[in-house]
Amino acid sequence: MRIRVNGEDREANAPDHRLLVDWLREDLELTGTHVGCTTSQCGACNVMVDGEVVKACTTLLASCAGSEVVTIEGLGTPEALHPMQAAFRAAHGLQCGFCTPGMVMAGIAIARAHGPDVSEATIRHELEGNLCRCTGYQNIVAAIRQGARAMAEAGLLEEPA
């Protein structure tokens, strides 16, 4: 099957039960997608599939045939971070960094769904499927608010529905 990953067409030959996270990490060596719980509880494995955030630890690879997958590695470069990545750095939205890739991916989805003026309450509600064991979430929430505004300024947001 063909899957486009971070802008590059890839071939995957795997059993029906193979998980997306395992293929990304083991076969493609995209280790920014973390495995935290394997039960879809923590969000450390968040990636985008066809523009929607999914938990790669419970997504079957076969379900992604013909899809566009974006991982944290596909967002920006060290020289030109994605606006959400830059916001996490500027707002200190990370500590150990384990949950950060999943939080950044969730932040992008939140910004796309709610626009640049997303409220703190909405962000906290939307992050209920993401766990961070190091922070009190305050800086993560601030980073997502800042990232949403930066994404809008960069033309990376459509008008929310």
Side-chain angles (χ1 to χ4, degrees):
M1 78 186 100
R2 289 185 191 267
I3 302 172
R4 191 163 182 81
V5 180
N6 298 334
E8 183 179 333
D9 288 328
R10 305 302 291 256
E11 287 286 331
N13 296 313
D16 290 342
H17 64 277
R18 183 90 190 265
L19 295 173
L20 176 59
V21 71
D22 295 331
W23 182 66
L24 291 171
R25 290 182 59 81
E26 295 167 12
D27 295 13
L28 303 186
E29 298 182 358
L30 296 171
T31 57
T33 302
H34 295 154
V35 179
C37 67
T38 68
T39 58
S40 199
Q41 306 265 331
C42 76
C45 66
N46 284 347
V47 298
M48 298 271 188
V49 176
D50 295 330
E52 300 292 324
V53 172
V54 302
K55 297 194 177 180
C57 75
T58 55
T59 300
L60 293 173
L61 177 60
S63 72
C64 297
S67 293
E68 171 81 26
V69 175
V70 179
T71 69
I72 194 73
E73 293 92 346
L75 291 182
T77 66
E79 300 79 27
L81 295 175
H82 183 281
M84 190 62 72
Q85 290 172 307
F88 266 75
R89 182 176 65 183
H92 306 289
L94 63 141
Q95 283 188 7
C96 82
F98 189 81
C99 72
T100 305
M103 291 288 190
V104 168
M105 300 306 275
I108 291 168
I110 292 166
R112 287 179 178 165
H114 300 285
D117 298 321
V118 60
S119 71
E120 179 177 331
T122 297
I123 293 169
R124 288 185 181 279
H125 174 75
E126 295 282 336
L127 286 179
E128 287 179 359
N130 292 69
L131 299 177
C132 177
R133 294 183 174 111
C134 298
T135 71
Y137 294 90
Q138 189 59 36
N139 289 353
I140 292 170
V141 172
I144 292 172
R145 290 188 82 194
Q146 181 177 330
R149 290 188 299 273
M151 285 176 65
E153 290 171 11
L156 297 175
L157 294 183
E158 296 177 14
E159 290 298 316

PDB file of all heavy atoms in Angstrom, residues 131-145:
ATOM      1  N   LEU A 131      -1.912  13.639  27.935  1.00  0.00           N
ATOM      2  CA  LEU A 131      -1.372  13.700  29.292  1.00  0.00           C
ATOM      3  C   LEU A 131       0.048  14.232  29.295  1.00  0.00           C
ATOM      4  O   LEU A 131       0.857  13.877  28.445  1.00  0.00           O
ATOM      5  CB  LEU A 131      -1.375  12.310  29.931  1.00  0.00           C
ATOM      6  CG  LEU A 131      -2.727  11.639  30.101  1.00  0.00           C
ATOM      7  CD1 LEU A 131      -2.547  10.240  30.670  1.00  0.00           C
ATOM      8  CD2 LEU A 131      -3.627  12.465  30.994  1.00  0.00           C
ATOM      9  N   CYS A 132       0.327  15.071  30.281  1.00  0.00           N
ATOM     10  CA  CYS A 132       1.678  15.540  30.550  1.00  0.00           C
ATOM     11  C   CYS A 132       1.935  15.263  32.022  1.00  0.00           C
ATOM     12  O   CYS A 132       1.161  15.682  32.876  1.00  0.00           O
ATOM     13  CB  CYS A 132       1.808  17.031  30.257  1.00  0.00           C
ATOM     14  SG  CYS A 132       3.451  17.657  30.675  1.00  0.00           S
ATOM     15  N   ARG A 133       3.002  14.583  32.298  1.00  0.00           N
ATOM     16  CA  ARG A 133       3.303  14.232  33.684  1.00  0.00           C
ATOM     17  C   ARG A 133       4.217  15.253  34.358  1.00  0.00           C
ATOM     18  O   ARG A 133       4.460  15.154  35.550  1.00  0.00           O
ATOM     19  CB  ARG A 133       3.938  12.847  33.725  1.00  0.00           C
ATOM     20  CG  ARG A 133       2.958  11.779  33.287  1.00  0.00           C
ATOM     21  CD  ARG A 133       3.562  10.388  33.383  1.00  0.00           C
ATOM     22  NE  ARG A 133       2.536   9.407  33.080  1.00  0.00           N
ATOM     23  CZ  ARG A 133       2.525   8.655  31.996  1.00  0.00           C
ATOM     24  NH1 ARG A 133       3.477   8.772  31.109  1.00  0.00           N
ATOM     25  NH2 ARG A 133       1.558   7.784  31.798  1.00  0.00           N
ATOM     26  N   CYS A 134       4.717  16.227  33.611  1.00  0.00           N
ATOM     27  CA  CYS A 134       5.693  17.167  34.170  1.00  0.00           C
ATOM     28  C   CYS A 134       5.126  18.552  34.484  1.00  0.00           C
ATOM     29  O   CYS A 134       5.635  19.223  35.364  1.00  0.00           O
ATOM     30  CB  CYS A 134       6.854  17.364  33.192  1.00  0.00           C
ATOM     31  SG  CYS A 134       7.782  15.883  32.851  1.00  0.00           S
ATOM     32  N   THR A 135       4.149  18.999  33.721  1.00  0.00           N
ATOM     33  CA  THR A 135       3.704  20.382  33.845  1.00  0.00           C
ATOM     34  C   THR A 135       2.313  20.461  34.441  1.00  0.00           C
ATOM     35  O   THR A 135       1.621  19.466  34.560  1.00  0.00           O
ATOM     36  CB  THR A 135       3.657  21.089  32.472  1.00  0.00           C
ATOM     37  OG1 THR A 135       2.563  20.561  31.720  1.00  0.00           O
ATOM     38  CG2 THR A 135       4.941  20.918  31.701  1.00  0.00           C
ATOM     39  N   GLY A 136       1.917  21.656  34.776  1.00  0.00           N
ATOM     40  CA  GLY A 136       0.547  21.911  35.200  1.00  0.00           C
ATOM     41  C   GLY A 136      -0.298  22.372  34.032  1.00  0.00           C
ATOM     42  O   GLY A 136      -1.361  22.944  34.236  1.00  0.00           O
ATOM     43  N   TYR A 137       0.179  22.202  32.821  1.00  0.00           N
ATOM     44  CA  TYR A 137      -0.511  22.529  31.576  1.00  0.00           C
ATOM     45  C   TYR A 137      -0.605  24.030  31.292  1.00  0.00           C
ATOM     46  O   TYR A 137      -0.958  24.411  30.189  1.00  0.00           O
ATOM     47  CB  TYR A 137      -1.926  21.920  31.507  1.00  0.00           C
ATOM     48  CG  TYR A 137      -1.927  20.416  31.454  1.00  0.00           C
ATOM     49  CD1 TYR A 137      -1.967  19.665  32.612  1.00  0.00           C
ATOM     50  CD2 TYR A 137      -1.891  19.755  30.241  1.00  0.00           C
ATOM     51  CE1 TYR A 137      -1.969  18.280  32.568  1.00  0.00           C
ATOM     52  CE2 TYR A 137      -1.896  18.372  30.180  1.00  0.00           C
ATOM     53  CZ  TYR A 137      -1.936  17.642  31.350  1.00  0.00           C
ATOM     54  OH  TYR A 137      -1.940  16.274  31.298  1.00  0.00           O
ATOM     55  N   GLN A 138      -0.305  24.881  32.231  1.00  0.00           N
ATOM     56  CA  GLN A 138      -0.468  26.318  32.001  1.00  0.00           C
ATOM     57  C   GLN A 138       0.356  26.791  30.801  1.00  0.00           C
ATOM     58  O   GLN A 138      -0.155  27.508  29.945  1.00  0.00           O
ATOM     59  CB  GLN A 138      -0.094  27.119  33.262  1.00  0.00           C
ATOM     60  CG  GLN A 138      -0.449  28.589  33.165  1.00  0.00           C
ATOM     61  CD  GLN A 138      -1.938  28.834  32.933  1.00  0.00           C
ATOM     62  OE1 GLN A 138      -2.800  28.121  33.457  1.00  0.00           O
ATOM     63  NE2 GLN A 138      -2.258  29.829  32.134  1.00  0.00           N
ATOM     64  N   ASN A 139       1.620  26.378  30.744  1.00  0.00           N
ATOM     65  CA  ASN A 139       2.451  26.823  29.624  1.00  0.00           C
ATOM     66  C   ASN A 139       2.068  26.139  28.316  1.00  0.00           C
ATOM     67  O   ASN A 139       2.229  26.726  27.242  1.00  0.00           O
ATOM     68  CB  ASN A 139       3.932  26.584  29.940  1.00  0.00           C
ATOM     69  CG  ASN A 139       4.436  27.539  31.005  1.00  0.00           C
ATOM     70  OD1 ASN A 139       3.750  28.455  31.425  1.00  0.00           O
ATOM     71  ND2 ASN A 139       5.652  27.308  31.468  1.00  0.00           N
ATOM     72  N   ILE A 140       1.543  24.939  28.384  1.00  0.00           N
ATOM     73  CA  ILE A 140       1.061  24.255  27.179  1.00  0.00           C
ATOM     74  C   ILE A 140      -0.133  25.015  26.616  1.00  0.00           C
ATOM     75  O   ILE A 140      -0.211  25.271  25.413  1.00  0.00           O
ATOM     76  CB  ILE A 140       0.708  22.787  27.480  1.00  0.00           C
ATOM     77  CG1 ILE A 140       1.977  21.993  27.802  1.00  0.00           C
ATOM     78  CG2 ILE A 140      -0.054  22.152  26.320  1.00  0.00           C
ATOM     79  CD1 ILE A 140       1.739  20.601  28.348  1.00  0.00           C
ATOM     80  N   VAL A 141      -1.051  25.385  27.489  1.00  0.00           N
ATOM     81  CA  VAL A 141      -2.229  26.152  27.060  1.00  0.00           C
ATOM     82  C   VAL A 141      -1.788  27.490  26.467  1.00  0.00           C
ATOM     83  O   VAL A 141      -2.260  27.894  25.399  1.00  0.00           O
ATOM     84  CB  VAL A 141      -3.217  26.342  28.226  1.00  0.00           C
ATOM     85  CG1 VAL A 141      -4.343  27.293  27.843  1.00  0.00           C
ATOM     86  CG2 VAL A 141      -3.782  24.991  28.666  1.00  0.00           C
ATOM     87  N   ALA A 142      -0.869  28.164  27.128  1.00  0.00           N
ATOM     88  CA  ALA A 142      -0.362  29.449  26.620  1.00  0.00           C
ATOM     89  C   ALA A 142       0.304  29.258  25.260  1.00  0.00           C
ATOM     90  O   ALA A 142       0.130  30.086  24.354  1.00  0.00           O
ATOM     91  CB  ALA A 142       0.602  30.063  27.619  1.00  0.00           C
ATOM     92  N   ALA A 143       1.049  28.182  25.111  1.00  0.00           N
ATOM     93  CA  ALA A 143       1.725  27.914  23.842  1.00  0.00           C
ATOM     94  C   ALA A 143       0.716  27.691  22.720  1.00  0.00           C
ATOM     95  O   ALA A 143       0.895  28.193  21.608  1.00  0.00           O
ATOM     96  CB  ALA A 143       2.644  26.701  23.981  1.00  0.00           C
ATOM     97  N   ILE A 144      -0.350  26.960  23.004  1.00  0.00           N
ATOM     98  CA  ILE A 144      -1.354  26.698  21.970  1.00  0.00           C
ATOM     99  C   ILE A 144      -2.076  27.989  21.593  1.00  0.00           C
ATOM    100  O   ILE A 144      -2.322  28.242  20.408  1.00  0.00           O
ATOM    101  CB  ILE A 144      -2.316  25.584  22.401  1.00  0.00           C
ATOM    102  CG1 ILE A 144      -1.549  24.253  22.469  1.00  0.00           C
ATOM    103  CG2 ILE A 144      -3.514  25.476  21.456  1.00  0.00           C
ATOM    104  CD1 ILE A 144      -2.313  23.101  23.062  1.00  0.00           C
ATOM    105  N   ARG A 145      -2.377  28.825  22.567  1.00  0.00           N
ATOM    106  CA  ARG A 145      -3.019  30.116  22.239  1.00  0.00           C
ATOM    107  C   ARG A 145      -2.088  30.958  21.373  1.00  0.00           C
ATOM    108  O   ARG A 145      -2.503  31.539  20.368  1.00  0.00           O
ATOM    109  CB  ARG A 145      -3.390  30.873  23.520  1.00  0.00           C
ATOM    110  CG  ARG A 145      -4.549  30.196  24.256  1.00  0.00           C
ATOM    111  CD  ARG A 145      -5.048  31.020  25.388  1.00  0.00           C
ATOM    112  NE  ARG A 145      -5.973  32.013  24.826  1.00  0.00           N
ATOM    113  CZ  ARG A 145      -6.406  33.061  25.476  1.00  0.00           C
ATOM    114  NH1 ARG A 145      -6.000  33.295  26.709  1.00  0.00           N
ATOM    115  NH2 ARG A 145      -7.244  33.902  24.913  1.00  0.00           N
TER     116      ARG A 145
END
